[in-house]
Amino acid sequence: MNFNELKTFVTLVETKHFTKTAERLYISQPTVSLHLKHLEEHFGQSLIHRHTFNKTIEISEAGRIVYRHAKEILHQTVRLEQEMDELEGITRGTLRIAATHTIYEAMLEQMIHDFLVAYPDASVDARVMNQEQVEQALLHHEIDLGMVEGPHHSHQIEALPFATDRLRIIGHESLVLEQATWIYREEGSAARFALETWLATQAIVPKRIITVYSNRLIKQLIANGTGISILSERLAGTLLDSNRFKTHDDSRIDQRVFQFITLKGETTRLSHKWMKEHSGSS
């Protein structure tokens, strides 16, 4: 068993495909199979179940155990490499981050630019997820740092505020709250939770709901008069200043705080530098 074999197995579990694993790691497919064989021989158990009919794989119970520990080993290896680089005054490596949709769409472009200007030898792997997905990715060592817009839900996570935001209820001025189509974000998103809470306080039961997975699409649907929704001030932009659109009483919606989240005691050096670079973002 070696580092590369563990890395191959982790990638295989996440892609569920031998060819995709080979492509992602820039190795041959026979090498993927060889690494898996060595691990199975080492542990004396099958780590995956192969389905010949549809060419998919399924991780075994033993494989889940290996995967969980392999993720932790790879994470600790990244931390080791970064700390050794620090001794030489070098900042390099890839920072794996995930942000909720509002942060990703409204802030991340400038944040990445500023970080890479400050640390030109570093790189960034940025993903967009909802709040629940960001937390799970962090807990499973799939990312190094998360950026979320609501409180976290795990004692294993610590948070650092870096910016504030306000959600607004907005729609075309002709739409009536009780009769309008309401535009929801997907389950697990902080915006959906805030909207559902607000509707409950107003005793409004939507006649029709549509669900989308993008704040930018929500903005477009508001703009063309399709329905009413909740949207960050950072993304609403000119809609808030137009007489064609109406904002509804949002006094019961608290200002929200954007937060960096990391695993307690396991924050990587690159994560520290990212948070330092962007603490107090406007």
Side-chain angles (χ1 to χ4, degrees):
M1 179 179 66
N2 62 42
F3 176 83
N4 286 332
E5 290 169 355
L6 292 177
K7 187 175 182 180
T8 298
F9 181 67
V10 166
T11 307
L12 180 61
V13 171
E14 293 175 353
T15 63
K16 294 182 172 60
H17 201 284
F18 280 83
T19 301
K20 291 180 180 177
T21 297
E23 292 173 350
R24 181 176 295 185
L25 297 177
Y26 301 102
I27 58 179
S28 67
Q29 188 170 328
T31 300
V32 175
S33 298
L34 183 62
H35 285 177
L36 176 62
K37 179 182 177 183
H38 287 169
L39 287 174
E40 291 183 325
E41 289 176 347
H42 178 83
F43 292 111
Q45 298 189 59
S46 296
L47 301 183
I48 66 168
H49 303 302
R50 297 170 177 81
H51 300 291
T52 305
F53 177 73
N54 55 12
K55 297 183 179 180
T56 61
I57 65 170
E58 179 183 348
I59 187 171
S60 67
E61 186 61 33
R64 290 191 183 91
I65 295 172
V66 173
Y67 174 76
R68 185 175 72 251
H69 287 284
K71 291 286 289 186
E72 294 176 4
I73 291 169
L74 296 178
H75 176 71
Q76 292 300 327
T77 300
V78 169
R79 293 186 65 200
L80 170 61
E81 291 174 344
Q82 291 181 6
E83 289 187 30
M84 295 302 291
D85 284 342
E86 285 287 314
L87 293 178
E88 300 180 35
I90 300 171
T91 300
R92 61 186 171 195
T94 299
L95 175 63
R96 303 171 302 162
I97 60 178
T100 49
H101 287 251
T102 299
I103 299 171
Y104 190 94
E105 295 171 4
M107 302 181 70
L108 197 56
E109 178 182 350
Q110 188 64 46
M111 295 175 82
I112 291 174
H113 173 78
D114 293 344
F115 182 74
L116 296 182
V117 168
Y119 303 103
D121 293 324
S123 60
V124 175
D125 176 353
R127 313 171 196 183
V128 60
M129 304 175 179
N130 66 36
Q131 173 107 11
E132 183 179 323
Q133 292 167 338
V134 174
E135 291 187 32
Q136 288 303 309
L138 186 63
L139 291 170
H140 290 91
H141 298 285
E142 294 169 9
I143 58 172
D144 305 308
L145 178 143
M147 289 179 283
V148 299
E149 54 207 67
H152 61 84
H153 303 92
S154 171
H155 68 277
Q156 297 174 259
I157 291 174
E158 57 187 357
L160 176 69
F162 69 91
T164 57
D165 184 46
R166 187 181 176 198
L167 289 168
R168 308 297 299 274
I169 306 295
I170 185 170
H172 194 276
E173 56 89 22
S174 65
L175 297 178
V176 179
L177 291 177
E178 290 77 11
Q179 301 298 323
T181 295
W182 286 87
I183 309 163
Y184 280 36
R185 277 278 311 283
E186 76 282 1
E187 290 281 358
S189 73
R192 182 185 181 113
F193 177 77
L195 178 56
E196 289 179 330
T197 302
W198 183 85
L199 288 168
T201 65
Q202 303 295 313
I204 295 173
V205 178
K207 299 292 185 181
R208 183 169 66 164
I209 293 171
I210 60 175
T211 303
V212 301
Y213 289 71
S214 164
N215 287 319
R216 293 197 184 278
L217 180 55
I218 288 178
K219 182 176 180 179
Q220 292 168 352
L221 292 171
I222 293 172
N224 67 22
T226 299
I228 303 175
S229 191
I230 192 168
L231 196 61
S232 162
E233 281 188 339
R234 293 175 180 269
L235 292 173
T238 57
L239 294 182
L240 296 173
D241 301 320
S242 171
N243 293 330
R244 295 175 54 235
F245 302 97
K246 180 180 179 181
T247 55
H248 300 274
D249 179 19
D250 48 25
S251 59
R252 297 191 184 185
I253 302 176
D254 294 331
Q255 183 182 63
R256 59 183 181 170
V257 178
F258 291 162
Q259 302 182 91
F260 299 124
I261 58 171
T262 57
L263 290 176
K264 288 183 179 178
E266 297 187 41
T267 307
T268 66
R269 295 294 176 121
L270 281 180
S271 297
H272 276 298
K273 291 182 182 300
W274 176 278
M275 290 188 287
K276 182 178 180 181
E277 184 71 24
H278 300 301
S279 59
S281 297
S282 58

